[in-house]
Amino acid sequence: MPILHYLHQLQNCAKHRSIVSTKQLHAHFIKLGVTQFLALSNTLLNVYGKCSLLQDALQLFDEMPQRDHVSWATFLTTQNQANLPDKTLSIFPAMFSIDRLLPDDFVFASLVKACGSLGAIKQGKQVHGNFLVSPYFDDDVVKSSLVDMYAKCGLPDDSRLVFDSIKLKNMASWTAIIYGYARKGRKEEALELFVRVPLKNLFAWTALISGLIQSGNGVDAFGLFVKMRRQGISIIDPLVLSSIVGASANLAMLELGKQVHGLVIQLGYESCVFISNALVDMYAKCSDMSAARGVFSRMSRRDVVSWTSIIVGAAQHGQAEEALSLYDNMILNGVEPNEVTFVGLIYACSHVGLVNRGRELFKSMVEDYGIHPSLQHYTCLLDLLGRSGHLEEAESVINLMPFKPDEPTWAALLSACKQYRNAKMAIKFADHLFSLKPEEPSTYILLSNTYASSGLWEHASKARHLLESLEVRKEPGYSYIYFGKENQMFYAGETSHPMKDEIFGLLNELDVEMRRRGYVPDTSYILHNTDHQEKERQLFWHSERLAVAYGLLKSVPGTVIRIVKNLRVCGDCHTVLKLISDIVQREIVVRDAKRYHHFKGGKCSCNDFW
DNA sequence: CCCAATGTAC
């Protein structure tokens, strides 16, 4: 049977993703006049999808003289596989309106998957409803897709309802439900189900581990990863590694990240683009830009994520020129930038006050690449304009843009007003900020100082008053320091550390030298309303200073001191860290809640804007 | 002949 023979050949093409053979076969079918056999065209459609030949798939589908359920299911799947779930949903209505066909189980599964990828819960529930009243209402595959959809939409309880209705639970449904709970940080339930999985394969482990990482439980995830390795699960698919690399990045644990990198090399996955992308990002987040550049330069193939990762990394570490020249290289290499790339680029410009270049990039993003600017893009642009003193222009951008600025954006503009002594504008911005009912204590300090400097004492005291009635920081400040295999955590005001005396002695010594150089503690950053001396004492015990002192005492001389802080560095600590970096001639890198600071020789890479 | 599970940059 020649048709069966051709089907077999096509399946081979799909397996090996052989584009040339597929096109040859297609030409052959046309010549033989066998394209009216639906099975043949449908399979061909499938192969085009698998080979990522979207244009060919679309043309074939469009030109098919008749289409059946299989044609539709296959075509919708090509859209899902090409990461175009919105297309899946927008094309589907034509199934009825043009071909008079109702969805079958295969089509339902594709639609549900598309809703899950989009997080489109409203449409997802509609599809679910239609599925329940269809003849396929009991299909287990569609049900496992539904479990996955609710998991991806962050509704594990809805997942569970569907999951419990599945008679014969397959691995996909187990994986999906575990992922759903893990992703929401519901560890107990995720683990409880994991214990019950009949086959604990790599998929199940990956779902559990990556879900936990996405909910910020990186430490638990690492524990499980080690357990998985010990149980001899072989990593035949590198996806779990990208999650684990990402967890090292989130925790900013450089040593851990290096170990994971070693494992990646050992398992032979360094040549995998998305793994290397994750490594570049990890080194950047761990503030080791030279390692990030190393991985990036060794990559034989780089996609838009690779370039964007290194650009954003350079931008966040204050290396604006590097970010911009990387962008030029990216364009020369024929890689098209996307919305994330431009966030990094405009951010880079704002760091060094390259106003014209930033404006050009913003314009180019819209005009050359057709990207609709998001609030984040406007925030970067406003930051750029504010920092460089173009306050009127910033105001007109605010009036023209289709978003309302958020609290940090108003705060950044307000700081810019202070810097450029524009009291009139400051009051305007402050009023907007005030009406947002800010939650960040430092915002009240900024507000109060702004009003006070303009003689608006009543407003100033109102802001101070609100601040004092505000619950003092829900989260206590802490800093981590890592070097070698050691890591230590310091809380603000901590006085029980075994090396407390040495730390206190060193900080005192440094304090004397700093004051000799003209340092005066800026106590306006202290929230409690206590006397001046007490405020100075509190500043003295801020966690980043304890961590730096510990680092100076214990780390190898000359090495970079790396610190991760949960909150933002206060203005006084920023001054102090600059001074310390100069006094002891050491580079200090602090990753705070907002950005990176490289203190070196009395200067900071953030250019004192943060 | 077609459907379901794990992933990287803001």
Side-chain angles (χ1 to χ4, degrees):
Chain A
M1 269 302 274
I3 298 291
L4 273 180
H5 173 70
Y6 291 136
L7 282 178
H8 185 74
Q9 281 192 316
L10 281 172
Q11 266 144 14
N12 259 332
C13 291
K15 206 166 127 195
H16 300 108
R17 307 271 189 271
S18 33
I19 293 171
V20 178
S21 318
T22 309
K23 294 207 163 183
Q24 278 172 353
L25 275 170
H26 190 177
H28 198 53
F29 296 161
I30 294 170
K31 239 192 298 185
L32 287 175
V34 290
T35 47
Q36 79 277 18
F37 290 101
L38 267 175
L40 220 47
S41 292
N42 289 343
T43 308
L44 188 59
L45 190 57
N46 180 37
V47 183
Y48 277 143
K50 293 274 187 318
C51 297
S52 308
L53 296 166
L54 280 192
Q55 212 41 53
D56 297 85
L58 179 64
Q59 200 182 337
L60 174 62
F61 182 71
D62 194 44
E63 290 172 358
M64 280 168 76
Q66 35 170 325
R67 290 174 286 257
D68 63 359
H69 286 94
V70 180
S71 326
W72 275 96
T74 309
F75 184 68
L76 295 179
T77 302
T78 62
Q79 303 304 301
N80 278 344
Q81 282 167 349
N83 219 341
L84 298 164
D86 46 330
K87 282 268 185 298
T88 306
L89 296 184
S90 64
I91 293 167
F92 161 70
M95 181 173 180
F96 184 75
S97 65
I98 296 178
D99 288 347
R100 299 279 144 194
L101 292 170
L102 288 170
D104 67 356
D105 45 346
F106 284 81
V107 171
F108 273 122
S110 295
L111 293 175
V112 169
K113 185 183 160 74
C115 293
S117 321
L118 289 168
I121 188 58
K122 223 176 126 186
Q123 290 181 79
K125 287 197 167 171
Q126 268 176 28
V127 175
H128 190 175
N130 283 310
F131 163 68
L132 288 177
V133 297
S134 77
Y136 309 95
F137 71 97
D138 215 17
D139 183 86
D140 280 350
V141 173
V142 179
K143 284 188 197 170
S144 21
S145 320
L146 283 164
V147 174
D148 179 57
M149 179 195 80
Y150 285 120
K152 289 207 172 89
C153 292
L155 299 166
D157 296 313
D158 294 72
S159 276
R160 187 57 179 268
L161 284 174
V162 182
F163 179 78
D164 287 339
S165 79
I166 299 176
K167 285 181 291 296
L168 212 70
K169 293 163 177 68
N170 52 23
M171 273 315 289
S173 51
W174 279 106
T175 310
I177 188 87
I178 290 168
Y179 177 71
Y181 281 121
R183 223 188 70 116
K184 272 268 147 181
R186 287 164 67 169
K187 279 185 259 180
E188 305 301 321
E189 286 146 299
L191 285 168
E192 204 179 291
L193 281 157
F194 185 73
V195 170
R196 285 173 46 202
V197 184
L199 175 69
K200 289 175 188 54
N201 61 10
L202 181 65
F203 270 154
W205 279 101
T206 306
L208 180 63
I209 290 169
S210 67
L212 286 174
I213 289 168
Q214 281 173 36
S215 57
N217 292 288
V219 176
D220 295 299
F222 262 105
L224 287 160
F225 182 70
V226 170
K227 207 167 156 190
M228 177 186 100
R229 297 277 298 154
R230 266 202 222 111
Q231 295 195 1
I233 303 288
S234 84
I235 300 179
I236 47 169
D237 181 312
L239 279 155
V240 68
L241 294 175
S242 63
S243 289
I244 278 292
V245 172
S248 323
N250 295 339
L251 296 165
M253 292 174 79
L254 181 60
E255 289 305 316
L256 189 62
K258 281 183 185 167
Q259 281 185 42
V260 176
H261 187 180
L263 182 65
V264 166
I265 293 169
Q266 188 193 321
L267 295 170
Y269 287 122
E270 212 196 16
S271 55
C272 204
V273 178
F274 73 86
I275 295 288
S276 277
N277 290 348
L279 285 169
V280 169
D281 177 58
M282 181 274 290
Y283 280 119
K285 288 219 166 77
C286 291
S287 305
D288 191 341
M289 280 307 287
S290 60
R293 273 190 292 270
V295 176
F296 181 80
S297 65
R298 281 195 300 276
M299 292 174 76
S300 51
R301 225 174 57 77
R302 302 181 188 98
D303 63 11
V304 61
V305 178
S306 328
W307 287 98
T308 303
S309 301
I310 191 87
I311 287 172
V312 168
Q316 288 181 329
H317 289 284
Q319 300 162 2
E321 293 79 5
E322 166 128 24
L324 293 169
S325 84
L326 279 162
Y327 176 63
D328 294 337
N329 256 320
M330 172 179 174
I331 300 301
L332 284 175
N333 278 273
V335 178
E336 188 166 313
N338 65 18
E339 66 283 1
V340 187
T341 319
F342 283 103
V343 170
L345 290 169
I346 302 169
Y347 185 85
C349 291
S350 89
H351 247 287
V352 288
L354 287 170
V355 196
N356 287 331
R357 190 74 208 276
R359 276 195 287 239
E360 274 166 31
L361 283 162
F362 193 91
K363 200 165 158 246
S364 164
M365 169 176 82
V366 178
E367 289 174 5
D368 302 335
Y369 298 100
I371 297 167
H372 294 292
S374 66
L375 174 60
Q376 209 179 359
H377 293 114
Y378 281 109
T379 303
C380 290
L381 180 66
L382 289 171
D383 195 51
L384 167 73
L385 296 171
R387 281 176 188 230
S388 51
H390 295 73
L391 293 160
E392 274 87 8
E393 190 180 341
E395 196 185 22
S396 71
V397 168
I398 290 174
N399 292 330
L400 284 169
M401 72 184 199
F403 304 97
K404 282 210 169 305
D406 56 7
E407 183 184 328
T409 305
W410 284 122
L413 288 170
L414 194 47
S415 302
C417 291
K418 251 174 106 177
Q419 179 100 352
Y420 291 97
R421 303 186 195 290
N422 188 332
K424 217 178 110 199
M425 212 68 116
I427 298 300
K428 250 202 246 181
F429 290 160
D431 288 343
H432 280 289
L433 183 54
F434 205 37
S435 66
L436 272 183
K437 299 224 183 313
E439 293 190 0
E440 170 67 30
S442 65
T443 302
Y444 284 98
I445 294 165
L446 186 62
L447 273 173
S448 161
N449 291 349
T450 305
Y451 287 133
S453 61
S454 300
L456 295 166
W457 304 112
E458 213 172 296
H459 282 71
S461 79
K462 211 165 140 192
R464 265 279 160 186
H465 200 71
L466 271 170
L467 167 65
E468 278 152 22
S469 68
L470 201 73
E471 264 179 79
V472 180
R473 284 204 203 285
K474 291 161 209 128
E475 219 181 339
Y478 61 79
S479 298
Y480 270 112
I481 179 163
Y482 304 107
F483 49 85
K485 297 266 176 284
E486 193 179 349
N487 67 79
Q488 286 265 339
M489 189 156 125
F490 292 88
Y491 281 96
E494 175 171 304
T495 49
S496 56
H497 193 273
M499 283 183 58
K500 153 189 164 230
D501 293 337
E502 286 104 315
I503 290 171
F504 177 78
L506 179 57
L507 284 177
N508 235 351
E509 240 176 82
L510 288 166
D511 193 62
V512 171
E513 176 58 23
M514 288 192 297
R515 284 181 199 253
R516 204 184 60 76
R517 295 182 182 204
Y519 162 69
V520 180
D522 183 350
T523 55
S524 71
Y525 294 97
I526 292 298
L527 310 173
H528 306 280
N529 200 14
T530 51
D531 66 68
H532 190 74
Q533 225 179 348
E534 171 59 19
K535 284 181 177 175
E536 281 197 16
R537 207 190 65 83
Q538 282 187 19
L539 281 174
F540 191 84
W541 291 107
H542 271 177
S543 62
E544 51 270 56
R545 301 189 198 192
L546 304 178
V548 165
Y550 182 78
L552 288 171
L553 289 164
K554 293 266 293 194
S555 66
V556 178
T559 54
V560 178
I561 293 176
R562 297 173 199 281
I563 285 163
V564 179
K565 185 178 159 85
N566 64 331
L567 306 172
R568 289 172 67 178
V569 167
C570 87
D572 190 61
C573 286
H574 199 264
T575 309
V576 165
L577 292 173
K578 282 198 290 185
L579 284 163
I580 292 179
S581 75
D582 198 36
I583 295 169
V584 299
Q585 285 298 305
R586 287 284 286 271
E587 190 176 342
I588 302 166
V589 183
V590 178
R591 177 180 120 178
D592 73 9
K594 206 64 194 166
R595 64 185 77 237
Y596 296 85
H597 305 266
H598 288 248
F599 299 97
K600 199 178 173 182
K603 287 193 182 133
C604 178
S605 64
C606 78
N607 279 331
D608 296 343
F609 275 97
W610 75 97

